[in-house]
Amino acid sequence: MRKLPLLFLLILLPSATTQAEEGAPLASVQQETAYFLSSSIPEKTLVPLLKSAQTKVIPVYFNGLIDNSMEKTARYLLNLMQKYQVAGIQIDPLRFDYYGITQVPALVKRCGKTFDVVYGSLALEEGLTQISRHGACRDE
């Protein structure tokens, strides 16, 4: 009985991808805005970041599993979803590698083969503004 909710959660997570990302290999995605976060961020800081990304329909990526455990990770994500009504968190270490993300929070905007990364806990809107003013993807 306990495994059913965890299995259900794992089915929901991949379905939260945007149409541009569904079924497309990362290398073939030409335009992307993504937010990189982690379970290591304190909950009181993490939740507003997740809600902001959800409001702007920006996918959120975590790097890997908590303690290398699918069960712990699923419980953690299920708790966030139920307690704070947040969704769309995906686990994608390949995206972390592709963009060279070594610290979080990190906001990425990709335009073709070029991308911008803004690090730090600044408001998501501020990060997008910084990219639109100073980034290589400012005209996208």
Side-chain angles (χ1 to χ4, degrees), residues 82-124:
Q82 290 176 338
K83 188 173 179 181
Y84 301 107
Q85 291 77 49
V86 294
I89 302 167
Q90 301 169 60
I91 298 170
D92 193 342
L94 295 177
R95 272 190 165 73
F96 274 77
D97 288 344
Y98 184 87
Y99 294 118
I101 305 300
T102 57
Q103 61 186 28
V104 291
L107 174 65
V108 169
K109 182 169 184 183
R110 178 179 177 182
C111 49
K113 294 182 181 181
T114 304
F115 59 89
D116 297 304
V117 181
V118 177
Y119 291 100
S121 290
L122 64 143
L124 191 55

Side-chain angles (χ1 to χ4, degrees), residues 15 19 36 52 70 82:
S15 68
Q19 286 182 346
F36 295 84
S52 179
M70 183 64 80
Q82 290 176 338

